Amino acid sequence: MQKRGFGPTGVAVPVIGQGTWYFERAPRAAALAALRRGLDLGLCHIDTAELYGSGAAEEIVGEAIAGRRDEAFLVSKVMPQNASRAGTIAACEASLTRLKTDRLDCYLLHWRGRHALEDTIAAFEHLKADGKILSWGLSNFDAIHLEAARAIAGDGCIACNQVLYHLEERGIEHAVIPWCAAHGVAVVAYSPFGSGDFPAPRSAGGRVLAEIASARGATPRQVALGFLTRGRSLFAIPKAAAVAHVEENAGAGELTLTEAEIAAIDRAFPLGRHAGLAML
């Protein structure tokens, strides 16, 4: 499993992690088995949020990592409506309770809302000083708002920006990825398979993925993950509530695409001119 530094944290994190959006809708035993198998395979970056199932996903994660907390790089998020100074601290403490842990490795603002960034960041720094979070980051932030956060917090404070990124949605390559690369911020791709809209096998793009997969002894989804994590600052957190899917995702962590393969995928899924930030 390839690992790389996670922004300014100094922690080496696997390029492929585990997302938990809608995890509460899966059979609980299957979800627990998937998370635990992911840890076995080195997928220690586990991402969740207070939003997911109104905290139910955090509870599942807490059960899955019981007795294995030190193996996990654990990330959760505060909803923007809770992201006042006091609200962020209270939300974090509630998440820690559901996760049955004393700390998060990274804590994110889920998206920008009505509360002042200054207050949210002040709360993050307070939580960091108290040892309840080891780092903090952002989610669904475009380059302009990332710069606003950097201006408040200073350089070397933002660990990551978690954003929608898949083969059919590459808009962040215009401004967000370059900004993050320039400022040492990790980019974490959520819904890297397009949230149920992965390229069909008979589509032009699907055929390109299949050809590369066949040549490399991989699957099309592993090839897609290899493309989305091709840069030094890029990570992905596909959700998998079944052991077989986790094992497939883990296989992408050892796949390094050649320049020719990357170019072929780039042609099959053109970047386009859209530079806006999409989100789910």
Side-chain angles (χ1 to χ4, degrees):
M1 177 64 63
Q2 297 181 61
K3 293 184 178 182
R4 53 182 60 133
F6 195 77
T9 66
V11 179
V13 174
V15 296
I16 308 299
Q18 303 189 75
T20 61
W21 191 25
Y22 290 138
F23 237 52
E24 73 283 354
R25 299 184 182 182
R28 192 178 186 93
L32 290 169
L35 286 170
R36 290 167 178 159
R37 181 58 176 153
L39 281 177
D40 293 341
L41 295 170
L43 304 185
C44 64
H45 178 180
I46 299 177
D47 178 86
T48 189
E50 65 173 350
L51 173 67
Y52 301 164
S54 299
E58 290 181 321
E59 292 174 352
I60 294 170
V61 171
E63 185 175 349
I65 66 173
R68 305 181 67 176
R69 172 64 186 90
D70 290 344
E71 296 178 44
F73 185 86
L74 188 59
V75 181
S76 193
K77 311 177 196 73
V78 57
M79 290 188 290
Q81 58 264 44
N82 294 335
S84 65
R85 189 175 301 209
T88 298
I89 293 170
C92 182
E93 291 174 344
S95 288
L96 292 174
T97 297
R98 287 188 290 268
L99 290 161
K100 297 180 181 178
T101 185
D102 60 352
R103 70 202 184 279
L104 292 170
D105 293 283
C106 196
Y107 194 39
L108 314 182
L109 173 60
H110 212 146
W111 65 90
R112 190 168 185 179
R114 62 183 175 84
H115 291 293
L117 272 177
E118 289 86 350
D119 289 343
T120 308
I121 290 171
F124 284 160
E125 292 294 344
H126 178 89
L127 289 164
K128 189 175 177 182
D130 281 353
K132 294 180 179 179
I133 66 174
L134 304 184
S135 64
W136 60 266
L138 306 165
S139 181
N140 297 303
F141 268 53
D142 59 22
I144 293 174
H145 293 135
L146 285 166
E147 180 58 32
R150 187 201 65 80
I152 294 165
D155 291 319
C157 292
I158 304 170
C160 71
N161 186 30
Q162 187 183 120
V163 286
L164 178 65
Y165 186 38
H166 56 82
L167 293 177
E168 302 280 8
E169 181 50 69
R170 297 176 56 192
I172 63 168
E173 292 181 29
H174 286 286
V176 172
I177 289 179
W179 189 97
C180 289
H183 293 89
V185 174
V187 176
V188 180
Y190 71 78
S191 296
F193 299 136
S195 192
D197 194 25
F198 192 72
R202 294 184 179 179
S203 67
R207 288 195 296 271
V208 170
L209 295 177
E211 289 170 4
I212 296 172
S214 177
R216 298 295 298 273
T219 68
R221 288 177 181 256
Q222 288 172 338
V223 172
L225 288 175
F227 181 82
L228 297 172
T229 58
R230 67 197 183 281
R232 288 185 299 174
S233 63
L234 302 180
F235 301 79
I237 48 168
K239 185 199 79 171
V243 167
H245 292 161
V246 170
E247 291 174 343
E248 181 181 13
N249 293 340
E254 300 176 356
L255 180 64
T256 300
L257 300 177
T258 67
E259 291 185 7
E261 290 167 339
I262 290 171
I265 296 170
D266 187 60
R267 290 191 298 271
F269 301 94
L271 173 58
R273 298 181 178 179
H274 173 63
L277 181 74
M279 61 182 287
L280 295 177

